[in-house]
Amino acid sequence: MKQITVARPKLNYSVDESYKSLRTNLLFCGDDKKIIAITSCTPNEGKSNVSFNLSISLAESGKRVLLIDADLRKSVLVGRTEVDGEIKGLSHYLSQQVSLENVIYATNIPRFHIIYAGIVPPNPAELLGSKHFKNLLKVVSDVYDYIIIDTPPLGSVIDSAVIADQCDGSIMVMESGVISYRFAQEVKDQLSRCACPILGVILNKVDMSKQGYYGKYYGKYYGKYGKYGNYGKE
């Protein structure tokens, strides 16, 4: 298994505590919720950041975590890690060009492994709905405590719904003040039609300067809703 270097993002106190709250809420969902799809309504809402940081947070808590970059159309994960040589990813495995062990990368963070998206294929939805993807999830679920899947925005392409059908739970990431209620409801309804429960919604890129002291330090995560501040993009 190849080793790669992951730079742990420097999160401020509020954002770091929010990820810990999200991690705790996910743990309380039960052991049967281990394959989690994370999606959004549109690009640039921050779902990839959430997937990446949640995976690291889970690994730091002692869980064995595999992050799968299943955004085969527009991946951003490679730019956040240091990889030597050619990268073989999910699209390579699903098209049967390489074996599974050749696409799983260990990181410098203990218990945290990554599968990159790979090259952009001409048929992403077909590959993600194939028996090879189902087999991948079956194999890795016996090895890891959590499999976090970064999926494309459901409001743009159908790939996320295809993936969610094979997951134990899903999470929606929405950018604060950008997505309309109607559009969010349409995407939520589409996700609800999958054989996969929606575990919650994360409100991302909240302008914390508009929050009072109480809101800044204590209003970060209630029930199913988290606030993650203005941290990064897709």
Side-chain angles (χ1 to χ4, degrees):
M1 185 180 295
K2 294 182 179 180
Q3 177 83 27
I4 62 174
T5 300
V6 171
R8 179 66 165 92
K10 294 182 179 180
L11 308 178
N12 63 41
Y13 175 83
S14 178
V15 176
D16 187 51
E17 286 298 303
S18 293
Y19 276 110
K20 290 178 181 178
S21 296
L22 175 59
R23 178 183 73 195
T24 300
N25 277 270
L26 183 57
L27 294 174
F28 273 103
C29 287
D31 294 339
D32 60 328
K33 300 293 187 295
K34 62 187 305 181
I35 305 177
I36 310 298
I38 297 182
T39 189
S40 60
C41 297
T42 63
N44 300 321
E45 291 189 79
K47 65 172 181 58
S48 295
N49 268 327
V50 171
S51 301
F52 186 69
N53 289 315
L54 173 60
S55 297
I56 293 176
S57 183
L58 285 166
E60 290 179 340
S61 73
K63 301 298 182 181
R64 294 167 296 178
V65 182
L66 176 65
L67 171 61
I68 300 178
D69 184 356
D71 194 342
L72 301 184
R73 302 171 191 263
K74 186 184 177 183
S75 171
V76 299
L77 184 59
V78 173
R80 302 175 187 181
T81 58
E82 297 179 13
V83 185
D84 294 327
E86 184 183 6
I87 296 174
K88 299 295 184 180
L90 182 60
S91 60
H92 293 92
Y93 169 74
L94 296 180
S95 58
Q96 296 296 279
Q97 298 182 45
V98 295
S99 60
L100 180 56
E101 56 265 26
N102 289 324
V103 299
I104 300 179
Y105 292 78
T107 76
N108 56 306
I109 298 176
R111 299 173 297 276
F112 178 39
H113 294 170
I114 292 175
I115 294 181
Y116 291 101
I119 60 174
V120 179
N123 55 341
E126 288 78 6
L127 289 178
L128 293 168
S130 69
K131 63 179 182 180
H132 302 302
F133 188 61
K134 294 179 181 178
N135 179 66
L136 182 155
L137 296 181
K138 181 179 179 180
V139 171
V140 298
S141 63
D142 292 332
V143 178
Y144 297 93
D145 298 308
Y146 283 97
I147 297 96
I148 305 298
I149 307 179
D150 180 17
T151 75
L154 186 54
S156 302
V157 292
I158 197 64
D159 301 15
S160 292
V162 174
I163 295 169
D165 262 335
Q166 304 173 59
C167 296
D168 302 320
S170 60
I171 297 173
M172 287 179 60
V173 175
M174 289 195 294
E175 182 176 355
S176 176
V178 172
I179 305 302
S180 69
Y181 174 82
R182 172 177 285 185
F183 186 35
Q185 191 66 43
E186 289 175 355
V187 174
K188 179 259 183 186
D189 290 343
Q190 186 174 3
L191 191 58
S192 298
R193 289 193 286 270
C194 304
C196 173
I198 300 176
L199 302 180
V201 176
I202 294 171
L203 186 62
N204 199 30
K205 301 184 185 181
V206 177
D207 185 358
M208 301 305 291
S209 65
K210 297 180 180 179
Q211 304 291 321
Y213 180 89
Y214 184 87
K216 181 178 180 181
Y217 290 100
Y218 297 98
K220 295 179 291 298
Y221 198 97
Y222 290 115
K224 296 183 178 180
Y225 296 86
K227 297 180 181 179
Y228 288 82
N230 188 14
Y231 179 74
K233 293 187 177 181
E234 195 73 15

